[in-house]
Each structure stands twice: as structure tokens, then as C-alpha cells.
Amino acid sequence: MSSLAKVPVTVVTGFLGSGKTTLIRHLIANANGKKLAVLVNEFGSEGVDGEILKSCADANCPAENIVELANGCICCTVADDLIPAMEQLLARTVKPDHILIETSGLALPKPLLKAFDWPEIRSRITVDGVIALADAEAVAAGRFAPDPDAVEAQRATDDNLDHETPLSEVFEDQIACADIVLLTKADLAGSAGLEAAKAAIEAEMPRRVPMLSVVDGAVDARVILGLEAAAEDDLAARPSHHDGEDEHEHNDFASVVVDIPEVTDIDALVASIQRLAREQNVLRAKGYIAVEGKPMRLLLQSVGERVRHQFDRPWGARPRQSKLVVIGEQGDIDEAAIKAGLGI
């Protein structure tokens, strides 16, 4: 017998490198018996997060239930990508108990929520909640804007000027849409950093919502799943910088995919990426790297100058081909300069 109950959907949003994939990996491994499905969206043409998640597939979330949307920002490709993918999941013989959507770090969550009013899916799904992740260490350092104090001082002296950066608008829209905010990388931020991050986020909240500190995505699924927020019916409480606009663009950001020869010195590669963050304002880099003499591929991810890497799985029959996705603001992404900075 088919059920008339709507399938709950949780939208996981957050800026670049805030830990969305890590959180979803934890939820897959600790689903408390729920059958999960995941839609993962990435900015740029080369998917990394989808493959990371598929490596964690299990009986409760098989690989075929992890669908990657890589044709652009999910909030801009609703008709072409999101709706068909959602219909595909809902048509499965065994429907998922809960669907997780990992947005790209540059996605605005409110346009995505509006999509759940589409006739094709409205009667079958509901937005259980929006979970916004914020890198506590980065937020405490004010990295969502180059100099938030200077921006606000300038705005105070000239009401006719809008000095907000694209990064701050993305951050603020994500926070304003959230039902729960997770402060990630809490171990790196320290107690003082956590307090600073909380204060910065509270200043952007249109309404008070819970904030939780998280390390390595470890949060009980019962805390963030089952909120029953029906967020698609609560849009007025979730203000956005883009309210009133029929559509929006992401021309403020750009990405390039760089092919990298087999690496002999991991530390040198890390130093090159850190230098690109300092000198060319690269926001994010991520990819799989082939290391000479190592049968396993190196998963590398960076946020600004903070670079993390680990060997995640053998290359096996796959070609030992290194690719690095590099993301930044439009005027800062120069493919030739990035390749030169990586010594290619």
C-alpha cells in the first residue's frame, strides 16, 4: 500500500569548506535505521563530494541513492536538475525515508526552498529543515567578508552605497534561512573563537535558532532530522538579499579544473595551494591527487590557507589522473596564473 505521507527533505547549506560532506558522511553512517538518499550539488564541472559520499554508501543509503548534480548551482537549475532527480528518487520501489540535499557552497537556499512548491513534487515531499554550517574558525576571523568592520563603517557614512561583498551576502542568506546552525571545526576555533563566531552569526539572524558546536560532523541525527519545519511554507520568516528578484546569477564566482602531474612532494603541493590563497585569493581547492609510489589516491581539500589531505582509497583500475578544482571570486580566477602557481 502506498503512503500519502510526505517524504522529509533536509537542506544542508554552508559556505565553501564548512564541512557539509563530512556531516552527511556521519549521517549516512549513523542513520538510526532510516533509509536515506542524498542529492549533492557542486560548483564547477568536476565533482568530488559526490564520489566521497558514494564511498560511504551502505544498506541504508546505497550508491544508487546518492545522486550528483553537477550542471551548475542547484538553486539556478531547479527545472533541469533538481525536480527530475527528486522525481527519480520518489519513483524508486523502495522510497527513501529521508532525503538530504547538500547544496554547493555558493548556493542561496531560499530559491531552492521555493522549488518545493512545484506541482510535480509539492504533494510528495516537505522541507523538514534547513541546516546551515558555518566554519567557526573562519567566521571568527571575519573571512566571510574581507574586512567586515570597514564595510560597516563605510555603509554607515553613505546610505546610497552597498559595500557588501558577494561572500557576505551568501553567508548571510544561508544563516537567515536556517532552522539550526552548526558551528563546525570547533576544535580549531577554540573557546574564544567559538564565542566570536556565535556573536557574528547572531548579528545576522532574523530570528533566533539553535546553534551547536560540532567536530568532524559528529551530531546525533535525531537532533537535526525530524524538525518538521515545513520550510517551504515559512519563506516569509527567512529573508534574503535577493527577495523580489525573479532570478539571480553566480557570475561573482568562477572555478577552473586543473590537471596535475603525479606528485612527488605533498608538502610542496600544500605550500603552493597556500600561496595561491594568499596571492590570488583562492577561496577553495579540492580534488584527488596521484602521489608517486602510493597505490592510494590523495584526497585534498582547502579553505583559504588551511589545507587538509588524506589517502582515502586505492586507485584500482581507475586512471591515476590528478584533478584539482579551484574556486574563487570572478576577478581572482586566472587559469594560467593558477597553473604557474602550482608549477604546471
Side-chain angles (χ1 to χ4, degrees):
M1 181 181 297
S2 62
S3 171
L4 296 178
K6 293 183 178 183
V7 176
V9 176
T10 293
V11 176
V12 179
T13 186
F15 195 58
L16 299 161
S18 59
K20 299 184 297 296
T21 303
T22 300
L23 171 68
I24 292 178
R25 289 178 69 175
H26 178 81
L27 292 175
I28 290 174
N30 299 274
N32 297 326
K34 288 182 181 290
K35 296 187 291 293
L36 299 180
V38 180
L39 296 182
V40 56
N41 178 225
E42 293 202 63
F43 185 82
S45 59
E46 193 72 24
V48 175
D49 294 346
E51 189 167 353
I52 294 173
L53 291 173
K54 286 181 180 179
S55 69
C56 305
D58 59 18
N60 287 322
C61 188
E64 60 267 24
N65 276 18
I66 301 174
V67 180
E68 187 174 353
L69 308 178
N71 292 328
C73 179
I74 193 171
C75 59
C76 304
T77 59
V78 168
D80 293 334
D81 286 336
L82 174 65
I83 302 301
M86 197 68 74
E87 289 183 308
Q88 176 188 352
L89 289 175
L90 294 173
R92 295 273 163 85
T93 303
V94 179
K95 282 199 304 187
D97 297 321
H98 205 113
I99 298 172
L100 306 174
I101 297 180
E102 178 188 341
T103 72
S104 83
L106 303 176
L108 302 173
K110 191 166 181 177
L112 176 59
L113 296 190
K114 291 178 179 178
F116 288 88
D117 198 34
W118 281 50
E120 292 92 333
I121 60 174
R122 179 172 175 81
S123 64
R124 294 185 285 167
I125 59 177
T126 182
V127 182
D128 182 69
V130 178
I131 312 301
L133 276 62
D135 182 321
E137 184 188 34
V139 172
R143 293 186 198 146
F144 53 89
D147 188 344
D149 293 336
V151 169
E152 288 306 314
Q154 288 177 319
R155 285 172 56 82
T157 58
D158 189 343
D159 292 336
N160 296 317
L161 295 177
D162 182 358
H163 294 284
E164 288 186 318
T165 68
L167 298 184
S168 69
E169 288 191 5
V170 172
F171 175 82
E172 289 159 12
D173 274 22
Q174 291 172 349
I175 295 300
C177 206
D179 294 291
I180 291 180
V181 174
L182 299 184
L183 293 168
T184 61
K185 322 285 178 70
D187 52 333
L188 300 178
S191 57
L194 281 173
E195 291 306 313
K198 287 178 181 178
I201 291 170
E202 285 176 349
E204 304 300 339
M205 285 181 172
R207 59 198 169 98
R208 293 189 65 83
V209 301
M211 274 194 284
L212 306 174
S213 302
V214 176
V215 175
D216 293 333
V219 60
D220 194 319
R222 294 171 298 179
V223 174
I224 61 174
L225 304 185
L227 300 181
E228 299 183 356
E232 69 275 19
D233 295 326
D234 187 34
L235 296 179
R238 304 164 192 265
S240 164
H241 287 280
H242 301 270
D243 284 340
E245 296 180 8
D246 292 332
E247 59 185 42
H248 64 280
E249 299 179 349
H250 285 284
N251 292 335
D252 297 314
F253 304 96
S255 70
V256 296
V257 180
V258 181
D259 293 319
I260 298 178
E262 194 159 281
V263 169
T264 57
D265 188 339
I266 297 173
D267 291 339
L269 176 61
V270 168
S272 296
I273 292 171
Q274 290 171 330
R275 190 165 55 251
L276 288 176
R278 286 193 304 272
E279 298 176 1
Q280 298 189 44
N281 298 320
V282 165
L283 302 174
R284 184 88 160 95
K286 53 186 176 180
Y288 292 108
I289 309 299
V291 180
E292 185 176 293
K294 301 292 185 181
M296 300 185 74
R297 64 187 187 183
L298 184 75
L299 170 60
L300 184 146
Q301 303 191 67
S302 74
V303 181
E305 291 188 54
R306 190 172 69 230
V307 183
R308 289 186 171 185
H309 55 81
Q310 66 186 70
F311 289 102
D312 76 325
R313 62 190 297 182
W315 286 99
R318 302 178 187 83
R320 290 174 60 91
Q321 185 176 18
S322 301
K323 288 185 179 293
L324 192 68
V325 182
V326 181
I327 303 171
E329 293 193 67
Q330 186 71 250
D332 295 327
I333 293 296
D334 180 328
E335 183 171 356
I338 287 169
K339 287 182 176 180
L342 292 170
I344 300 172

